Amino acid sequence: MVMIYSALDRNLIFAADSNYTHVKSNAKEVYMMQQWEKYGYLDYVPYGDYLKELLRDDEITQEAYDEAIKFANKPEQDSELVAQYVAQFTEKYESEGYTVVRLPGKMRGNTKRYQDGGEPRLYAYKDIPVLLRLVNYFKDLVTVDNVNYVLDDIDDRGLEFTWYDPAYGGEKFSPAILGTGTQYKYLVYFNDKFPYFHQNLVKINLGLSYSVRQGIDVFTTMTESQGSNVYSTVTYPSGKVESSADDLHSASYASGSLASGTPVIQANFVDDYTNVSPIKAGMSRIGYSFTMGIIAVILSYLLAIPLGIGMALRKEKLLDKLGTVYIVFITAVPSLAYIFLFKSLGGAAGLPTTFDMERPTWLMYVLPIISLALPSIANLMKWLRRYMIDQMNSDYVKFARSGGLSERQIFTKHILKNAMIPIVHGIPSSVLLALTGAIITERVYVVPGVGNLLTRAINAYDNGVIVGMVLFYAVLTVASIILGDVLISLVDPRISFTSKAR
């Protein structure tokens, strides 16, 4: 995060922003400030917000506010009162280290209309230091919803437990906890979709996307479903029943949405928890990545272990030589090259070469899984062969053989057991890192997974997604190493985390 937000030009976040290209001059300056504040680069204070704060604190009358907000941004019409508040605004924020900017308006002829979509603006801004940004990021990394989340004046803040979920018309036995004053209406609920228990109470916030999914948190982008909408019979809070894809369990608070909303919203809802997401047919990005990754991991171990054992037992024989050729090929050839090779061969054989979420079929998993499994198989074969040969040449094997143990006993109780210890250490890493996806493989086969998301973020200079996903990768990596150490201690009695080394 320190490298990205100190070394990269912050203007790059607008590279794929269509809104940025459509605004001009003063409006563009203001838009940039608003976006930079939204994504944590700086603290932005418009003059209008300053006046609203004074009005809220009774430091300015409504009449004075109306005059100041009307004329403050027009230099040629500044009154004495306006000049007073402009001076106060400038003095206050300059004393706090802010930079105060007044954007001049451009007159057109003798009219009072301003070019570039509006009046000149007055605002103050101050860059947020990267280290403070880092602190704020981790401070807000995990949030817990609560009844004081909504700042609006609402009645009956609190939690409600029900055995019969209103989202199912109140007729289906399904426990749920609902909140009022919370961000989400449903904090805890059950349904018939794995893992059956769901919650909106605790949220992980990895940072907002700038362009890939503008304004959406990275963790939400990785975990929400994709694909076409799934329609079913929905009973809305108002009692209206219709066929819809709306997921009422995702309902979140939108201030004033019921009073000022569309007739559809007013007909369907009874409060301001009207912001709902559609139910999608496909899996999430993590779902696609993990499905391919875990199948590739299982396939790798199932094939690599017997092949590696066979190579070691038949050292310098035909199987060992063929395995060595395969290992050298996979190791020497760049991954992008053999992935395209497999894609070409698979396409010629009639297998799907890209993912299609609208018409899903299990065949579209075949080529990506093969592309993921083949290098893992080679790596496991190589190390298992090496560990077994090392164990076969050890002194304790010679002593066991001279002691009368059969070759089968020596192999199963000593050689294989000791050779598998380093292999076992990598199992948690293989399983957990399947969640991170495969960057090159997913890009080539257009898999809507986590790895493809990262490449899109890099191409679009979406620093928020890059930082969030790198943190996600790092946490999984550290966790996999720790779990690997724990697992290896269970397999090898010589390793202990409780006794001191001598």
Short mmCIF file of all heavy atoms in Angstrom, two decimals, residues 218-253:
data_model
loop_
_atom_site.label_atom_id
_atom_site.label_comp_id
_atom_site.label_asym_id
_atom_site.label_seq_id
_atom_site.Cartn_x
_atom_site.Cartn_y
_atom_site.Cartn_z
N VAL A 218 -13.94 -4.65 -2.47
CA VAL A 218 -13.23 -5.75 -3.13
C VAL A 218 -13.73 -7.11 -2.64
O VAL A 218 -13.94 -8.03 -3.45
CB VAL A 218 -11.70 -5.63 -2.89
CG1 VAL A 218 -10.96 -6.78 -3.55
CG2 VAL A 218 -11.19 -4.30 -3.41
N PHE A 219 -13.95 -7.24 -1.34
CA PHE A 219 -14.39 -8.53 -0.81
C PHE A 219 -15.78 -8.87 -1.33
O PHE A 219 -16.06 -10.02 -1.66
CB PHE A 219 -14.39 -8.50 0.72
CG PHE A 219 -14.60 -9.84 1.35
CD1 PHE A 219 -13.58 -10.77 1.38
CD2 PHE A 219 -15.83 -10.19 1.89
CE1 PHE A 219 -13.77 -12.02 1.96
CE2 PHE A 219 -16.03 -11.43 2.46
CZ PHE A 219 -15.00 -12.35 2.50
N THR A 220 -16.65 -7.87 -1.43
CA THR A 220 -17.99 -8.09 -2.00
C THR A 220 -17.88 -8.52 -3.45
O THR A 220 -18.59 -9.43 -3.91
CB THR A 220 -18.83 -6.81 -1.90
OG1 THR A 220 -18.95 -6.43 -0.53
CG2 THR A 220 -20.22 -7.01 -2.49
N THR A 221 -16.98 -7.88 -4.20
CA THR A 221 -16.78 -8.24 -5.61
C THR A 221 -16.32 -9.68 -5.74
O THR A 221 -16.74 -10.38 -6.67
CB THR A 221 -15.74 -7.30 -6.24
OG1 THR A 221 -16.21 -5.95 -6.16
CG2 THR A 221 -15.50 -7.65 -7.70
N MET A 222 -15.49 -10.15 -4.83
CA MET A 222 -14.98 -11.51 -4.92
C MET A 222 -16.00 -12.56 -4.50
O MET A 222 -15.94 -13.70 -4.96
CB MET A 222 -13.72 -11.65 -4.05
CG MET A 222 -12.51 -10.89 -4.57
SD MET A 222 -10.98 -11.37 -3.74
CE MET A 222 -11.32 -10.90 -2.05
N THR A 223 -16.94 -12.20 -3.62
CA THR A 223 -17.79 -13.22 -3.00
C THR A 223 -19.23 -13.22 -3.51
O THR A 223 -19.97 -14.17 -3.23
CB THR A 223 -17.82 -13.03 -1.47
OG1 THR A 223 -18.22 -11.69 -1.15
CG2 THR A 223 -16.45 -13.30 -0.87
N GLU A 224 -19.67 -12.19 -4.22
CA GLU A 224 -21.06 -12.19 -4.67
C GLU A 224 -21.22 -13.00 -5.95
O GLU A 224 -20.30 -13.13 -6.76
CB GLU A 224 -21.56 -10.77 -4.87
CG GLU A 224 -20.93 -10.03 -6.02
CD GLU A 224 -21.48 -8.62 -6.16
OE1 GLU A 224 -22.33 -8.22 -5.34
OE2 GLU A 224 -21.06 -7.93 -7.10
N SER A 225 -22.42 -13.54 -6.15
CA SER A 225 -22.71 -14.41 -7.29
C SER A 225 -22.70 -13.60 -8.60
O SER A 225 -22.87 -12.39 -8.60
CB SER A 225 -24.07 -15.08 -7.11
OG SER A 225 -24.08 -15.88 -5.95
N GLN A 226 -22.50 -14.33 -9.70
CA GLN A 226 -22.45 -13.72 -11.02
C GLN A 226 -23.41 -14.46 -11.95
O GLN A 226 -23.99 -15.47 -11.59
CB GLN A 226 -21.03 -13.80 -11.59
CG GLN A 226 -19.94 -13.27 -10.69
CD GLN A 226 -18.57 -13.57 -11.23
OE1 GLN A 226 -18.02 -12.84 -12.02
NE2 GLN A 226 -18.01 -14.69 -10.82
N GLY A 227 -23.52 -13.94 -13.17
CA GLY A 227 -24.34 -14.61 -14.17
C GLY A 227 -25.70 -13.98 -14.34
O GLY A 227 -25.93 -12.84 -13.94
N SER A 228 -26.61 -14.73 -14.93
CA SER A 228 -27.95 -14.23 -15.21
C SER A 228 -28.81 -14.26 -13.95
O SER A 228 -28.54 -15.02 -13.01
CB SER A 228 -28.59 -15.05 -16.33
OG SER A 228 -28.63 -16.43 -15.95
N ASN A 229 -29.87 -13.45 -13.95
CA ASN A 229 -30.77 -13.39 -12.81
C ASN A 229 -31.59 -14.66 -12.68
O ASN A 229 -31.97 -15.28 -13.69
CB ASN A 229 -31.71 -12.19 -12.93
CG ASN A 229 -30.97 -10.87 -12.78
OD1 ASN A 229 -29.83 -10.84 -12.33
ND2 ASN A 229 -31.62 -9.79 -13.16
N VAL A 230 -31.88 -15.03 -11.44
CA VAL A 230 -32.72 -16.19 -11.15
C VAL A 230 -34.04 -15.68 -10.58
O VAL A 230 -34.07 -15.03 -9.53
CB VAL A 230 -32.05 -17.15 -10.15
CG1 VAL A 230 -32.99 -18.30 -9.81
CG2 VAL A 230 -30.74 -17.68 -10.72
N TYR A 231 -35.13 -15.95 -11.26
CA TYR A 231 -36.44 -15.44 -10.85
C TYR A 231 -37.19 -16.50 -10.04
O TYR A 231 -37.13 -17.69 -10.31
CB TYR A 231 -37.26 -15.05 -12.08
CG TYR A 231 -36.75 -13.79 -12.74
CD1 TYR A 231 -35.72 -13.86 -13.68
CD2 TYR A 231 -37.27 -12.55 -12.42
CE1 TYR A 231 -35.23 -12.72 -14.29
CE2 TYR A 231 -36.79 -11.40 -13.03
CZ TYR A 231 -35.77 -11.49 -13.96
OH TYR A 231 -35.28 -10.35 -14.56
N SER A 232 -37.91 -16.01 -9.04
CA SER A 232 -38.74 -16.87 -8.21
C SER A 232 -39.88 -16.02 -7.66
O SER A 232 -39.91 -14.80 -7.83
CB SER A 232 -37.92 -17.49 -7.08
OG SER A 232 -37.40 -16.48 -6.24
N THR A 233 -40.80 -16.65 -6.97
CA THR A 233 -41.91 -15.91 -6.36
C THR A 233 -41.43 -15.25 -5.08
O THR A 233 -40.96 -15.92 -4.16
CB THR A 233 -43.07 -16.87 -6.05
OG1 THR A 233 -43.50 -17.50 -7.26
CG2 THR A 233 -44.24 -16.10 -5.44
N VAL A 234 -41.53 -13.92 -5.04
CA VAL A 234 -41.02 -13.13 -3.92
C VAL A 234 -42.18 -12.43 -3.22
O VAL A 234 -43.03 -11.82 -3.88
CB VAL A 234 -40.00 -12.08 -4.40
CG1 VAL A 234 -39.55 -11.20 -3.23
CG2 VAL A 234 -38.80 -12.77 -5.03
N THR A 235 -42.22 -12.54 -1.89
CA THR A 235 -43.20 -11.82 -1.09
C THR A 235 -42.52 -10.60 -0.47
O THR A 235 -41.68 -10.73 0.42
CB THR A 235 -43.78 -12.71 0.02
OG1 THR A 235 -44.36 -13.88 -0.56
CG2 THR A 235 -44.83 -11.97 0.81
N TYR A 236 -42.86 -9.42 -0.96
CA TYR A 236 -42.23 -8.18 -0.49
C TYR A 236 -42.78 -7.78 0.88
O TYR A 236 -43.86 -8.25 1.29
CB TYR A 236 -42.46 -7.06 -1.50
CG TYR A 236 -41.61 -7.21 -2.75
CD1 TYR A 236 -42.10 -7.85 -3.89
CD2 TYR A 236 -40.31 -6.73 -2.79
CE1 TYR A 236 -41.33 -8.00 -5.03
CE2 TYR A 236 -39.52 -6.87 -3.92
CZ TYR A 236 -40.04 -7.50 -5.03
OH TYR A 236 -39.26 -7.65 -6.14
N PRO A 237 -42.06 -6.91 1.60
CA PRO A 237 -42.53 -6.49 2.93
C PRO A 237 -43.93 -5.90 2.94
O PRO A 237 -44.65 -6.00 3.93
CB PRO A 237 -41.48 -5.45 3.35
CG PRO A 237 -40.25 -5.85 2.63
CD PRO A 237 -40.71 -6.40 1.32
N SER A 238 -44.36 -5.30 1.82
CA SER A 238 -45.71 -4.72 1.74
C SER A 238 -46.78 -5.78 1.59
O SER A 238 -47.98 -5.49 1.68
CB SER A 238 -45.78 -3.75 0.55
OG SER A 238 -45.62 -4.46 -0.67
N GLY A 239 -46.37 -7.03 1.35
CA GLY A 239 -47.31 -8.11 1.11
C GLY A 239 -47.52 -8.43 -0.36
O GLY A 239 -48.17 -9.43 -0.70
N LYS A 240 -46.96 -7.60 -1.23
CA LYS A 240 -47.09 -7.83 -2.66
C LYS A 240 -46.28 -9.07 -3.06
O LYS A 240 -45.14 -9.24 -2.64
CB LYS A 240 -46.60 -6.61 -3.43
CG LYS A 240 -46.74 -6.72 -4.94
CD LYS A 240 -46.24 -5.46 -5.62
CE LYS A 240 -46.34 -5.57 -7.13
NZ LYS A 240 -45.84 -4.35 -7.81
N VAL A 241 -46.88 -9.91 -3.90
CA VAL A 241 -46.23 -11.14 -4.35
C VAL A 241 -46.07 -11.08 -5.86
O VAL A 241 -47.05 -10.83 -6.59
CB VAL A 241 -47.05 -12.38 -3.96
CG1 VAL A 241 -46.36 -13.65 -4.46
CG2 VAL A 241 -47.26 -12.44 -2.46
N GLU A 242 -44.83 -11.29 -6.33
CA GLU A 242 -44.59 -11.30 -7.78
C GLU A 242 -43.33 -12.09 -8.08
O GLU A 242 -42.53 -12.39 -7.19
CB GLU A 242 -44.48 -9.88 -8.33
CG GLU A 242 -43.26 -9.12 -7.88
CD GLU A 242 -43.16 -7.75 -8.53
OE1 GLU A 242 -44.17 -7.29 -9.09
OE2 GLU A 242 -42.07 -7.15 -8.47
N SER A 243 -43.16 -12.40 -9.37
CA SER A 243 -41.95 -13.09 -9.81
C SER A 243 -40.83 -12.07 -9.94
O SER A 243 -40.96 -11.08 -10.67
CB SER A 243 -42.19 -13.78 -11.15
OG SER A 243 -41.01 -14.39 -11.61
N SER A 244 -39.72 -12.30 -9.23
CA SER A 244 -38.63 -11.33 -9.20
C SER A 244 -37.32 -12.03 -8.88
O SER A 244 -37.30 -13.14 -8.34
CB SER A 244 -38.91 -10.24 -8.17
OG SER A 244 -37.80 -9.38 -8.01
N ALA A 245 -36.21 -11.35 -9.21
CA ALA A 245 -34.88 -11.84 -8.86
C ALA A 245 -34.33 -11.15 -7.61
O ALA A 245 -33.20 -11.41 -7.21
CB ALA A 245 -33.92 -11.64 -10.02
N ASP A 246 -35.12 -10.25 -7.01
CA ASP A 246 -34.65 -9.50 -5.84
C ASP A 246 -34.36 -10.43 -4.67
O ASP A 246 -35.19 -11.30 -4.33
CB ASP A 246 -35.69 -8.47 -5.41
CG ASP A 246 -35.78 -7.30 -6.37
OD1 ASP A 246 -34.85 -7.15 -7.19
OD2 ASP A 246 -36.77 -6.53 -6.31
N ASP A 247 -33.20 -10.24 -4.05
CA ASP A 247 -32.81 -10.99 -2.85
C ASP A 247 -33.13 -10.13 -1.64
O ASP A 247 -32.37 -9.22 -1.29
CB ASP A 247 -31.32 -11.33 -2.91
CG ASP A 247 -30.87 -12.12 -1.70
OD1 ASP A 247 -31.74 -12.56 -0.91
OD2 ASP A 247 -29.64 -12.31 -1.54
N LEU A 248 -34.24 -10.37 -1.01
CA LEU A 248 -34.66 -9.54 0.13
C LEU A 248 -33.70 -9.66 1.30
O LEU A 248 -33.63 -8.75 2.13
CB LEU A 248 -36.07 -9.94 0.57
CG LEU A 248 -37.19 -9.74 -0.46
CD1 LEU A 248 -38.54 -10.07 0.15
CD2 LEU A 248 -37.18 -8.31 -0.99
N HIS A 249 -32.94 -10.76 1.37
CA HIS A 249 -31.98 -10.92 2.46
C HIS A 249 -30.80 -9.96 2.32
O HIS A 249 -30.01 -9.81 3.25
CB HIS A 249 -31.47 -12.36 2.50
CG HIS A 249 -32.50 -13.33 2.95
ND1 HIS A 249 -32.87 -14.43 2.22
CD2 HIS A 249 -33.27 -13.38 4.08
CE1 HIS A 249 -33.79 -15.12 2.86
NE2 HIS A 249 -34.06 -14.50 3.99
N SER A 250 -30.64 -9.33 1.17
CA SER A 250 -29.54 -8.37 0.97
C SER A 250 -29.98 -6.94 1.21
O SER A 250 -29.19 -6.02 1.00
CB SER A 250 -28.99 -8.50 -0.46
OG SER A 250 -29.95 -8.06 -1.40
N ALA A 251 -31.23 -6.72 1.65
CA ALA A 251 -31.78 -5.37 1.78
C ALA A 251 -30.94 -4.52 2.74
O ALA A 251 -30.69 -4.90 3.88
CB ALA A 251 -33.22 -5.44 2.27
N SER A 252 -30.51 -3.35 2.24
CA SER A 252 -29.76 -2.41 3.06
C SER A 252 -30.46 -1.05 3.05
O SER A 252 -31.31 -0.78 2.19
CB SER A 252 -28.32 -2.28 2.56
OG SER A 252 -28.29 -1.80 1.23
N TYR A 253 -30.08 -0.20 3.98
CA TYR A 253 -30.77 1.07 4.20
C TYR A 253 -30.38 2.09 3.14
O TYR A 253 -29.20 2.26 2.82
CB TYR A 253 -30.43 1.62 5.58
CG TYR A 253 -31.26 2.80 6.01
CD1 TYR A 253 -32.50 2.62 6.59
CD2 TYR A 253 -30.81 4.10 5.83
CE1 TYR A 253 -33.28 3.69 7.00
CE2 TYR A 253 -31.57 5.19 6.22
CZ TYR A 253 -32.81 4.97 6.80
OH TYR A 253 -33.57 6.04 7.19
#
